[in-house]
Amino acid sequence: MDRKPLFYQIYDYFKQGILKEQLPYGTFLPSIRSCAQSLNVSKNTVESAYQLLVSEGYISNIPKKGYQIVHLVKKSGSSSFPIWSGDYTDEVRIDFRYGNIELSSFPLNQWNKARNQIIGHYQRNYEVEGDSQGENALRKELSRLLFEARGVISAPEQIIIGATPQQLVSLLCQLMDTRDYVIGVEDPGYDGARNTFINLGFRVHAIPLTTDGISIDELEKSPANVVYVSPSQQFLNKLTMPQDKRQQLVQWVYSKKYIFEDDYEWEYKYENGFVASIQSLAPEKVIYIGRISKTLLPVTNISYAVLPYEMLSLFHSRVTEYDQPVSRLDQLTFAQYVSNGYWYKHLQKVRKQYEEKSTAFFEAMSQNSQYFVEVEAKDTGLHAFVTVKSSKSESELIKLGKMNGVQVYGTSRYRYHMTGKYPTVLLGYGSLSCKEIHLGIKLLTEAWFEPV
């Protein structure tokens, strides 16, 4: 008789089938429900097995499709690392896609250890459906973490867990009446939030940026009574809003409704100066939104919103059935991962790696500075916005780069009003080595300009 837990027996059965190629790459496992019925076990037992397979890279949960096998069995001379089969063009040698990271930099063993701690603790009594607002263990860790790192003042009960900032914005729009709320957004700025407001019927006003962030003068002239800002790192211009501008925003909001503070990528700031969140200055008037996905990818996506109590009350009264989009097991695993101290160690390691990439990027750009008007990549080693000294259009630059084996991305989507003499492209380099960064910039200059 096998004394191993049932979930482990199911996990091992599928694992061996994948390794022996009896379950081919790209095929789907049975749904949790059908597998549980076939084996006469609970759905919780099957989900625990599947989540263990996910954490080890054998399968991936594809929304609305199921669990797909994404592990390629090692052949002679090939890598044994699980490979995700996404959109890929063989012609592209260097892909400057924003959001990509180095898979090898993630401490999968530590993540699996934390996950197995959770599975071991809950294997006899695990409820798939947890707290719809998010697991209390995770919200407690986030409340502590955000206070220590960003000065955010919150209790766990004020935190809502979501998958992405855009999904959380969509959720919070249900708490605001389109007749009463007029939204101001940074221009240029995060298009995901802007488009969500527009699509849900809100009046949206684009507020231009000055050298230190959103224009307070233009904001005051507008009819906006809510403003969405990214003060730690304005998305396109990479500005960090200074303390006096934050104080001006707080003065503005006390006669208005709310500030949405999108604090994305605060984890990757390298400069010594620390500016606390706007939320720490006016917790009753600021909706604080963030995500920890950049340090977790490709394992999971977890975002969060910290609500003022007035807004929290509306959430409980108007959103009585919030379908939590992040699996309970992922939430509990991350809470354990932080509690074990793994997250802090990983973050320090990653910060150093990306600082080195940022240095390499600027070195490559300085060697070709005659071709570029401006390079915005402050404080982070994940992406940069490059304004190119060329009469070519954004789409032409993208096409020419790809023809020379390099994929870059446009920035027009982030602008409400098109301005500027020269085109600007987005280069993400989180997944590239320093050598690849230098090669990519060299290939781009060859593609965009006549050889010197």
Side-chain angles (χ1 to χ4, degrees):
M1 180 179 179
D2 196 333
R3 296 183 179 275
K4 294 179 180 177
L6 282 174
F7 82 88
Y8 190 88
Q9 295 179 46
I10 297 170
Y11 150 80
D12 192 57
Y13 170 80
F14 284 117
K15 175 183 174 181
Q16 294 305 318
I18 293 169
L19 293 176
K20 294 175 182 177
E21 296 187 273
Q22 295 167 341
L23 299 172
Y25 172 83
T27 59
F28 286 84
L29 298 187
S31 69
I32 290 176
R33 180 186 296 274
S34 64
C35 185
Q37 291 175 343
S38 299
L39 299 176
N40 195 27
V41 298
S42 72
K43 290 190 292 183
N44 291 346
T45 299
V46 176
E47 190 196 26
S48 295
Y50 280 19
Q51 290 295 341
L52 190 53
L53 288 166
V54 169
S55 72
E56 294 186 357
Y58 291 104
I59 62 175
S60 179
N61 187 5
I62 310 300
K64 298 182 180 180
K65 290 186 177 181
Y67 289 89
Q68 185 180 36
I69 296 171
V70 295
H71 179 79
L72 282 177
V73 178
K74 183 178 181 181
K75 305 293 184 182
S76 177
S78 67
S79 170
S80 61
F81 198 90
I83 297 176
W84 166 249
S85 178
D87 293 336
Y88 178 76
T89 304
D90 291 334
E91 300 172 356
V92 175
R93 296 171 59 188
I94 305 292
D95 188 353
F96 282 102
R97 178 181 290 276
Y98 168 61
N100 286 0
I101 67 168
E102 287 187 87
L103 297 178
S104 60
S105 68
F106 183 76
L108 197 58
N109 289 338
Q110 293 178 347
W111 177 265
N112 288 341
K113 184 176 180 180
R115 183 179 287 266
N116 289 339
Q117 285 179 267
I118 298 300
I119 291 174
H121 179 75
Y122 286 99
Q123 63 178 296
R124 292 187 178 276
N125 184 26
Y126 175 75
E127 298 178 1
V128 177
E129 300 294 335
D131 190 323
S132 64
Q133 192 172 321
E135 292 304 305
N136 188 58
L138 174 59
R139 290 185 281 123
K140 285 175 64 177
E141 290 292 345
L142 285 175
S143 179
R144 179 174 61 85
L145 172 65
L146 293 175
F147 177 73
E148 293 174 355
R150 304 296 302 127
V152 172
I153 301 169
S154 69
E157 65 189 25
Q158 292 176 261
I159 298 176
I160 310 293
I161 302 300
T164 66
Q166 187 174 14
Q167 176 257 318
L168 286 169
V169 170
S170 181
L171 170 70
L172 297 176
C173 283
Q174 299 179 47
L175 313 183
M176 303 186 298
D177 194 315
T178 56
R179 296 168 297 181
D180 299 331
Y181 288 79
V182 182
I183 316 296
V185 296
E186 296 171 315
D187 184 24
Y190 174 44
D191 59 324
R194 182 191 68 217
N195 293 340
T196 297
F197 290 128
I198 292 172
N199 292 340
L200 292 178
F202 288 91
R203 287 173 289 163
V204 173
H205 288 262
I207 311 298
L209 300 176
T210 63
T211 55
D212 61 354
I214 194 168
S215 170
I216 299 297
D217 288 341
E218 294 298 324
L219 180 62
E220 289 177 340
K221 291 176 186 177
S222 78
N225 53 22
V226 173
V227 66
Y228 192 101
V229 294
S230 303
S232 286
Q233 191 168 191
Q234 201 280 330
F235 186 74
L236 189 59
N237 289 3
K238 313 300 292 172
L239 300 169
T240 298
M241 187 182 293
Q243 187 66 30
D244 59 346
K245 175 64 72 80
R246 294 169 187 244
Q247 293 284 2
Q248 292 176 49
L249 266 180
V250 169
Q251 293 173 10
W252 173 86
V253 79
Y254 273 118
S255 62
K256 307 295 181 179
K257 299 285 189 181
Y258 293 105
I259 295 171
F260 277 81
E261 180 179 11
D262 185 342
D263 208 18
Y264 93 107
E265 284 189 4
W266 62 263
E267 302 100 327
Y268 292 105
K269 294 182 69 62
Y270 306 131
E271 293 185 350
N272 295 327
F274 171 81
V275 182
S277 66
I278 298 175
Q279 195 271 359
S280 68
L281 304 175
E284 72 279 16
K285 299 292 286 184
V286 178
I287 299 165
Y288 181 88
I289 295 178
R291 65 185 301 168
I292 47 184
S293 304
K294 288 289 177 283
T295 55
L296 286 176
L297 286 171
V299 182
T300 187
N301 275 333
I302 297 176
S303 297
Y304 46 85
V306 179
L307 305 189
Y309 276 106
E310 183 180 20
M311 185 68 80
L312 183 66
S313 177
L314 287 173
F315 172 79
H316 289 308
S317 62
R318 295 189 183 183
V319 188
T320 55
E321 295 293 335
Y322 175 44
D323 189 7
Q324 176 55 240
V326 183
S327 82
R328 186 176 183 228
L329 187 56
D330 279 350
Q331 293 181 58
L332 292 171
T333 299
F334 182 69
Q336 188 68 46
Y337 184 75
V338 175
S339 179
N340 287 350
Y342 297 146
W343 191 81
Y344 298 96
K345 292 178 182 177
H346 176 54
L347 188 55
Q348 291 301 316
K349 177 183 176 182
V350 167
R351 278 174 172 165
K352 186 176 184 300
Q353 290 175 344
Y354 286 128
E355 189 170 8
E356 292 171 353
K357 291 175 187 286
S358 182
T359 299
F361 180 82
F362 274 103
E363 286 177 351
M365 296 303 297
S366 65
Q367 293 167 7
N368 299 277
S369 59
Q370 70 271 29
Y371 299 126
F372 305 108
V373 178
E374 190 174 32
V375 179
E376 292 287 352
K378 299 175 184 176
D379 301 331
T380 178
L382 291 176
H383 67 287
F385 292 89
V386 178
T387 302
V388 185
K389 192 181 296 182
S390 172
S391 59
K392 298 179 178 68
S393 68
E394 176 185 290
S395 60
E396 287 174 328
L397 292 179
I398 294 171
K399 183 178 179 180
L400 288 170
K402 190 170 184 179
M403 289 173 63
N404 210 32
V406 183
Q407 182 73 65
V408 299
Y409 299 86
T411 62
S412 56
R413 56 181 283 196
Y414 305 115
R415 299 181 185 277
Y416 199 80
H417 298 117
M418 297 305 296
T419 58
K421 179 180 178 181
Y422 297 109
T424 299
V425 293
L426 168 61
L427 278 67
Y429 48 92
S431 66
L432 302 178
S433 67
C434 293
K435 184 177 179 180
E436 288 172 325
I437 291 170
H438 278 275
L439 175 60
I441 299 303
K442 179 177 180 292
L443 292 172
L444 285 176
T445 56
E446 291 175 355
W448 292 342
F449 305 97
E450 292 294 330
V452 179

